[in-house]
Amino acid sequence: MQPEQLARPEEQPVPPRRAPRWVKPLIVFLLVAIPAGYLYISAMQSRSGSESKREEAAQTGLESGWPSRLQRRIYGMTVPPGAAYVAHYETNSWKSSSLYLQFTTTGDRLDHWLEQLGTSSAELQPGRITIDKDEADVVGWKFGPDDHHWRGTAVSHDKPEPNFEIVVNWDNPNRPRAYVISTTTP
């Protein structure tokens, strides 16, 4: 018999190799664990970011200079022309956002500025501190029953308009020092 005449067995296709049983549960676990881990890490970074921002503000105080135009528009607040020692700080959260502002100005310019906010210097009540201690601590403000002549008022508006808490140091009526928090809520 010749070699060509020998019967060759037909070549059978090799069946695909099955993965071990543990591979499928591992894939399912990774498909769930990776996004969940990413969400957890993202949430922790976001949470620690606002805490570190608050701590940084308490340590460094307010940022010198005027708030940006966008901040002034969002919080419905201007700064009187010619104001001195202007500083601001912004906080944001899911519930509300606030702009802290302080400046020194003249009595006339303060009157005009208060009118723009919807109040007047006549509404500033002697001895009234409208900014509570927790809010003041965010930027290191200290209000208290000392030798200063504090006057304060609050201006409330319907949403989405901002609300204002205003405290003025009236030690020098020619150069009052204003402390303001404008708060918006969605």
Side-chain angles (χ1 to χ4, degrees), residues 12-17:
Q12 295 282 336
V14 178
R17 187 174 161 206

Side-chain angles (χ1 to χ4, degrees), residues 75 89-93 96-100 135 181-184:
Y75 295 100
Y89 176 70
E90 182 180 18
T91 64
N92 297 301
S93 71
S96 67
S97 297
S98 297
L99 179 67
Y100 292 69
E135 291 174 315
I181 300 176
S182 174
T183 303
T184 62

Side-chain angles (χ1 to χ4, degrees), residues 50-150:
S50 67
E51 289 172 2
S52 66
K53 190 174 181 183
R54 193 174 303 129
E55 289 171 6
E56 179 181 322
Q59 291 173 359
T60 61
L62 299 161
E63 181 179 333
S64 293
W66 286 38
S68 69
R69 286 184 180 170
L70 179 61
Q71 288 172 319
R72 292 188 308 242
R73 188 179 55 120
I74 290 170
Y75 295 100
M77 193 161 11
T78 61
V79 179
Y85 308 107
V86 178
H88 69 282
Y89 176 70
E90 182 180 18
T91 64
N92 297 301
S93 71
W94 289 104
K95 295 179 183 176
S96 67
S97 297
S98 297
L99 179 67
Y100 292 69
L101 177 68
Q102 69 182 35
F103 58 86
T104 301
T105 189
T106 64
D108 292 338
R109 288 181 177 162
L110 180 67
D111 289 340
H112 180 69
W113 179 80
L114 289 168
E115 288 173 14
Q116 290 177 334
L117 296 183
T119 189
S120 68
S121 55
E123 296 293 320
L124 293 171
Q125 299 172 10
R128 183 171 180 211
I129 307 295
T130 55
I131 298 172
D132 67 39
K133 183 178 178 351
D134 290 339
E135 291 174 315
D137 286 346
V138 170
V139 291
W141 289 341
K142 303 281 186 235
F143 307 113
D146 49 16
D147 295 334
H148 296 291
H149 299 91
W150 300 111

Side-chain angles (χ1 to χ4, degrees), residues 22-38:
W22 58 269
V23 171
K24 191 182 273 185
L26 176 66
I27 291 172
V28 170
F29 171 77
L30 291 174
L31 287 173
V32 171
I34 290 173
Y38 174 78

